[in-house]
mmCIF file with all atom_site columns, all heavy atoms in Angstrom:
data_model
loop_
_atom_site.group_PDB
_atom_site.id
_atom_site.type_symbol
_atom_site.label_atom_id
_atom_site.label_alt_id
_atom_site.label_comp_id
_atom_site.label_asym_id
_atom_site.label_entity_id
_atom_site.label_seq_id
_atom_site.pdbx_PDB_ins_code
_atom_site.Cartn_x
_atom_site.Cartn_y
_atom_site.Cartn_z
_atom_site.occupancy
_atom_site.B_iso_or_equiv
_atom_site.pdbx_formal_charge
_atom_site.auth_seq_id
_atom_site.auth_comp_id
_atom_site.auth_asym_id
_atom_site.auth_atom_id
_atom_site.pdbx_PDB_model_num
ATOM 1   N N   . LEU A 1 508 ? -8.946  -1.007 15.213 1.00 98.00 ? 508 LEU A N   1
ATOM 2   C CA  . LEU A 1 508 ? -8.836  -0.232 13.987 1.00 98.00 ? 508 LEU A CA  1
ATOM 3   C C   . LEU A 1 508 ? -7.471  -0.488 13.356 1.00 98.00 ? 508 LEU A C   1
ATOM 4   O O   . LEU A 1 508 ? -6.435  -0.299 14.004 1.00 98.00 ? 508 LEU A O   1
ATOM 5   C CB  . LEU A 1 508 ? -8.998  1.264  14.288 1.00 98.00 ? 508 LEU A CB  1
ATOM 6   C CG  . LEU A 1 508 ? -8.919  2.201  13.073 1.00 98.00 ? 508 LEU A CG  1
ATOM 7   C CD1 . LEU A 1 508 ? -10.045 1.904  12.074 1.00 98.00 ? 508 LEU A CD1 1
ATOM 8   C CD2 . LEU A 1 508 ? -8.977  3.661  13.517 1.00 98.00 ? 508 LEU A CD2 1
ATOM 9   N N   . TRP A 1 509 ? -7.497  -0.935 12.109 1.00 98.00 ? 509 TRP A N   1
ATOM 10  C CA  . TRP A 1 509 ? -6.246  -1.164 11.364 1.00 98.00 ? 509 TRP A CA  1
ATOM 11  C C   . TRP A 1 509 ? -6.130  -0.113 10.270 1.00 98.00 ? 509 TRP A C   1
ATOM 12  O O   . TRP A 1 509 ? -7.079  0.111  9.505  1.00 98.00 ? 509 TRP A O   1
ATOM 13  C CB  . TRP A 1 509 ? -6.247  -2.565 10.743 1.00 98.00 ? 509 TRP A CB  1
ATOM 14  C CG  . TRP A 1 509 ? -5.190  -2.727 9.683  1.00 98.00 ? 509 TRP A CG  1
ATOM 15  C CD1 . TRP A 1 509 ? -5.365  -2.822 8.336  1.00 98.00 ? 509 TRP A CD1 1
ATOM 16  C CD2 . TRP A 1 509 ? -3.763  -2.802 9.905  1.00 98.00 ? 509 TRP A CD2 1
ATOM 17  N NE1 . TRP A 1 509 ? -4.146  -2.960 7.695  1.00 98.00 ? 509 TRP A NE1 1
ATOM 18  C CE2 . TRP A 1 509 ? -3.148  -2.939 8.635  1.00 98.00 ? 509 TRP A CE2 1
ATOM 19  C CE3 . TRP A 1 509 ? -2.957  -2.755 11.041 1.00 98.00 ? 509 TRP A CE3 1
ATOM 20  C CZ2 . TRP A 1 509 ? -1.762  -3.041 8.477  1.00 98.00 ? 509 TRP A CZ2 1
ATOM 21  C CZ3 . TRP A 1 509 ? -1.572  -2.856 10.883 1.00 98.00 ? 509 TRP A CZ3 1
ATOM 22  C CH2 . TRP A 1 509 ? -1.000  -2.997 9.625  1.00 98.00 ? 509 TRP A CH2 1
ATOM 23  N N   . THR A 1 510 ? -4.972  0.523  10.206 1.00 98.00 ? 510 THR A N   1
ATOM 24  C CA  . THR A 1 510 ? -4.750  1.567  9.210  1.00 98.00 ? 510 THR A CA  1
ATOM 25  C C   . THR A 1 510 ? -3.429  1.323  8.503  1.00 98.00 ? 510 THR A C   1
ATOM 26  O O   . THR A 1 510 ? -2.401  1.110  9.163  1.00 98.00 ? 510 THR A O   1
ATOM 27  C CB  . THR A 1 510 ? -4.705  2.969  9.867  1.00 98.00 ? 510 THR A CB  1
ATOM 28  O OG1 . THR A 1 510 ? -5.882  3.145  10.662 1.00 98.00 ? 510 THR A OG1 1
ATOM 29  C CG2 . THR A 1 510 ? -4.630  4.065  8.808  1.00 98.00 ? 510 THR A CG2 1
ATOM 30  N N   . TRP A 1 511 ? -3.466  1.338  7.193  1.00 98.00 ? 511 TRP A N   1
ATOM 31  C CA  . TRP A 1 511 ? -2.228  1.239  6.408  1.00 98.00 ? 511 TRP A CA  1
ATOM 32  C C   . TRP A 1 511 ? -1.860  2.627  5.907  1.00 98.00 ? 511 TRP A C   1
ATOM 33  O O   . TRP A 1 511 ? -2.678  3.301  5.259  1.00 98.00 ? 511 TRP A O   1
ATOM 34  C CB  . TRP A 1 511 ? -2.440  0.293  5.220  1.00 98.00 ? 511 TRP A CB  1
ATOM 35  C CG  . TRP A 1 511 ? -1.237  0.139  4.330  1.00 98.00 ? 511 TRP A CG  1
ATOM 36  C CD1 . TRP A 1 511 ? 0.046   -0.106 4.725  1.00 98.00 ? 511 TRP A CD1 1
ATOM 37  C CD2 . TRP A 1 511 ? -1.217  0.210  2.911  1.00 98.00 ? 511 TRP A CD2 1
ATOM 38  N NE1 . TRP A 1 511 ? 0.861   -0.195 3.631  1.00 98.00 ? 511 TRP A NE1 1
ATOM 39  C CE2 . TRP A 1 511 ? 0.108   0.000  2.505  1.00 98.00 ? 511 TRP A CE2 1
ATOM 40  C CE3 . TRP A 1 511 ? -2.205  0.433  1.937  1.00 98.00 ? 511 TRP A CE3 1
ATOM 41  C CZ2 . TRP A 1 511 ? 0.493   -0.002 1.166  1.00 98.00 ? 511 TRP A CZ2 1
ATOM 42  C CZ3 . TRP A 1 511 ? -1.831  0.430  0.606  1.00 98.00 ? 511 TRP A CZ3 1
ATOM 43  C CH2 . TRP A 1 511 ? -0.496  0.216  0.232  1.00 98.00 ? 511 TRP A CH2 1
ATOM 44  N N   . HIS A 1 512 ? -0.658  3.048  6.261  1.00 97.00 ? 512 HIS A N   1
ATOM 45  C CA  . HIS A 1 512 ? -0.163  4.366  5.858  1.00 97.00 ? 512 HIS A CA  1
ATOM 46  C C   . HIS A 1 512 ? 0.854   4.195  4.742  1.00 97.00 ? 512 HIS A C   1
ATOM 47  O O   . HIS A 1 512 ? 1.931   3.627  4.959  1.00 97.00 ? 512 HIS A O   1
ATOM 48  C CB  . HIS A 1 512 ? 0.503   5.066  7.051  1.00 97.00 ? 512 HIS A CB  1
ATOM 49  C CG  . HIS A 1 512 ? -0.450  5.439  8.141  1.00 97.00 ? 512 HIS A CG  1
ATOM 50  N ND1 . HIS A 1 512 ? -1.156  6.607  8.157  1.00 97.00 ? 512 HIS A ND1 1
ATOM 51  C CD2 . HIS A 1 512 ? -0.823  4.759  9.259  1.00 97.00 ? 512 HIS A CD2 1
ATOM 52  C CE1 . HIS A 1 512 ? -1.922  6.662  9.233  1.00 97.00 ? 512 HIS A CE1 1
ATOM 53  N NE2 . HIS A 1 512 ? -1.735  5.550  9.923  1.00 97.00 ? 512 HIS A NE2 1
ATOM 54  N N   . ARG A 1 513 ? 0.551   4.708  3.590  1.00 96.00 ? 513 ARG A N   1
ATOM 55  C CA  . ARG A 1 513 ? 1.496   4.649  2.473  1.00 96.00 ? 513 ARG A CA  1
ATOM 56  C C   . ARG A 1 513 ? 2.479   5.812  2.592  1.00 96.00 ? 513 ARG A C   1
ATOM 57  O O   . ARG A 1 513 ? 2.144   6.897  3.081  1.00 96.00 ? 513 ARG A O   1
ATOM 58  C CB  . ARG A 1 513 ? 0.741   4.728  1.151  1.00 96.00 ? 513 ARG A CB  1
ATOM 59  C CG  . ARG A 1 513 ? -0.360  3.682  1.004  1.00 96.00 ? 513 ARG A CG  1
ATOM 60  C CD  . ARG A 1 513 ? -1.091  3.807  -0.300 1.00 96.00 ? 513 ARG A CD  1
ATOM 61  N NE  . ARG A 1 513 ? -1.579  5.173  -0.520 1.00 96.00 ? 513 ARG A NE  1
ATOM 62  C CZ  . ARG A 1 513 ? -2.170  5.586  -1.625 1.00 96.00 ? 513 ARG A CZ  1
ATOM 63  N NH1 . ARG A 1 513 ? -2.358  4.755  -2.617 1.00 96.00 ? 513 ARG A NH1 1
ATOM 64  N NH2 . ARG A 1 513 ? -2.587  6.839  -1.749 1.00 96.00 ? 513 ARG A NH2 1
ATOM 65  N N   . ASN A 1 514 ? 3.691   5.576  2.118  1.00 94.00 ? 514 ASN A N   1
ATOM 66  C CA  . ASN A 1 514 ? 4.719   6.610  2.265  1.00 94.00 ? 514 ASN A CA  1
ATOM 67  C C   . ASN A 1 514 ? 4.349   7.907  1.559  1.00 94.00 ? 514 ASN A C   1
ATOM 68  O O   . ASN A 1 514 ? 4.748   8.995  1.985  1.00 94.00 ? 514 ASN A O   1
ATOM 69  C CB  . ASN A 1 514 ? 6.057   6.103  1.717  1.00 94.00 ? 514 ASN A CB  1
ATOM 70  C CG  . ASN A 1 514 ? 6.704   5.115  2.657  1.00 94.00 ? 514 ASN A CG  1
ATOM 71  O OD1 . ASN A 1 514 ? 6.119   4.748  3.683  1.00 94.00 ? 514 ASN A OD1 1
ATOM 72  N ND2 . ASN A 1 514 ? 7.900   4.661  2.318  1.00 94.00 ? 514 ASN A ND2 1
ATOM 73  N N   . GLN A 1 515 ? 3.592   7.805  0.469  1.00 91.00 ? 515 GLN A N   1
ATOM 74  C CA  . GLN A 1 515 ? 3.291   9.009  -0.301 1.00 91.00 ? 515 GLN A CA  1
ATOM 75  C C   . GLN A 1 515 ? 2.149   9.820  0.309  1.00 91.00 ? 515 GLN A C   1
ATOM 76  O O   . GLN A 1 515 ? 1.852   10.911 -0.181 1.00 91.00 ? 515 GLN A O   1
ATOM 77  C CB  . GLN A 1 515 ? 2.938   8.638  -1.751 1.00 91.00 ? 515 GLN A CB  1
ATOM 78  C CG  . GLN A 1 515 ? 1.694   7.785  -1.927 1.00 91.00 ? 515 GLN A CG  1
ATOM 79  C CD  . GLN A 1 515 ? 2.008   6.300  -1.897 1.00 91.00 ? 515 GLN A CD  1
ATOM 80  O OE1 . GLN A 1 515 ? 2.965   5.884  -1.251 1.00 91.00 ? 515 GLN A OE1 1
ATOM 81  N NE2 . GLN A 1 515 ? 1.223   5.505  -2.592 1.00 91.00 ? 515 GLN A NE2 1
ATOM 82  N N   . ASP A 1 516 ? 1.532   9.281  1.360  1.00 91.00 ? 516 ASP A N   1
ATOM 83  C CA  . ASP A 1 516 ? 0.391   9.972  1.953  1.00 91.00 ? 516 ASP A CA  1
ATOM 84  C C   . ASP A 1 516 ? 0.815   10.846 3.132  1.00 91.00 ? 516 ASP A C   1
ATOM 85  O O   . ASP A 1 516 ? 1.824   10.578 3.786  1.00 91.00 ? 516 ASP A O   1
ATOM 86  C CB  . ASP A 1 516 ? -0.642  8.949  2.458  1.00 91.00 ? 516 ASP A CB  1
ATOM 87  C CG  . ASP A 1 516 ? -1.279  8.179  1.321  1.00 91.00 ? 516 ASP A CG  1
ATOM 88  O OD1 . ASP A 1 516 ? -1.299  8.702  0.188  1.00 91.00 ? 516 ASP A OD1 1
ATOM 89  O OD2 . ASP A 1 516 ? -1.749  7.052  1.574  1.00 91.00 ? 516 ASP A OD2 1
ATOM 90  N N   . THR A 1 517 ? -0.006  11.831 3.436  1.00 84.00 ? 517 THR A N   1
ATOM 91  C CA  . THR A 1 517 ? 0.184   12.578 4.673  1.00 84.00 ? 517 THR A CA  1
ATOM 92  C C   . THR A 1 517 ? -0.405  11.755 5.808  1.00 84.00 ? 517 THR A C   1
ATOM 93  O O   . THR A 1 517 ? -1.096  10.752 5.583  1.00 84.00 ? 517 THR A O   1
ATOM 94  C CB  . THR A 1 517 ? -0.542  13.930 4.614  1.00 84.00 ? 517 THR A CB  1
ATOM 95  O OG1 . THR A 1 517 ? -1.958  13.667 4.518  1.00 84.00 ? 517 THR A OG1 1
ATOM 96  C CG2 . THR A 1 517 ? -0.085  14.752 3.410  1.00 84.00 ? 517 THR A CG2 1
ATOM 97  N N   . ASN A 1 518 ? -0.173  12.188 7.030  1.00 79.00 ? 518 ASN A N   1
ATOM 98  C CA  . ASN A 1 518 ? -0.676  11.430 8.175  1.00 79.00 ? 518 ASN A CA  1
ATOM 99  C C   . ASN A 1 518 ? -2.195  11.371 8.219  1.00 79.00 ? 518 ASN A C   1
ATOM 100 O O   . ASN A 1 518 ? -2.775  10.458 8.804  1.00 79.00 ? 518 ASN A O   1
ATOM 101 C CB  . ASN A 1 518 ? -0.152  12.029 9.486  1.00 79.00 ? 518 ASN A CB  1
ATOM 102 C CG  . ASN A 1 518 ? 1.265   11.573 9.752  1.00 79.00 ? 518 ASN A CG  1
ATOM 103 O OD1 . ASN A 1 518 ? 1.835   10.851 8.932  1.00 79.00 ? 518 ASN A OD1 1
ATOM 104 N ND2 . ASN A 1 518 ? 1.829   11.995 10.861 1.00 79.00 ? 518 ASN A ND2 1
ATOM 105 N N   . SER A 1 519 ? -2.851  12.342 7.625  1.00 81.00 ? 519 SER A N   1
ATOM 106 C CA  . SER A 1 519 ? -4.321  12.353 7.671  1.00 81.00 ? 519 SER A CA  1
ATOM 107 C C   . SER A 1 519 ? -4.927  11.492 6.567  1.00 81.00 ? 519 SER A C   1
ATOM 108 O O   . SER A 1 519 ? -6.130  11.241 6.571  1.00 81.00 ? 519 SER A O   1
ATOM 109 C CB  . SER A 1 519 ? -4.834  13.789 7.547  1.00 81.00 ? 519 SER A CB  1
ATOM 110 O OG  . SER A 1 519 ? -4.393  14.355 6.330  1.00 81.00 ? 519 SER A OG  1
#
Side-chain angles (χ1 to χ4, degrees):
L508 181 62
W509 165 252
T510 307
W511 179 48
H512 293 274
R513 306 179 308 175
N514 285 4
Q515 63 270 29
D516 293 336
T517 64
N518 280 2
S519 59

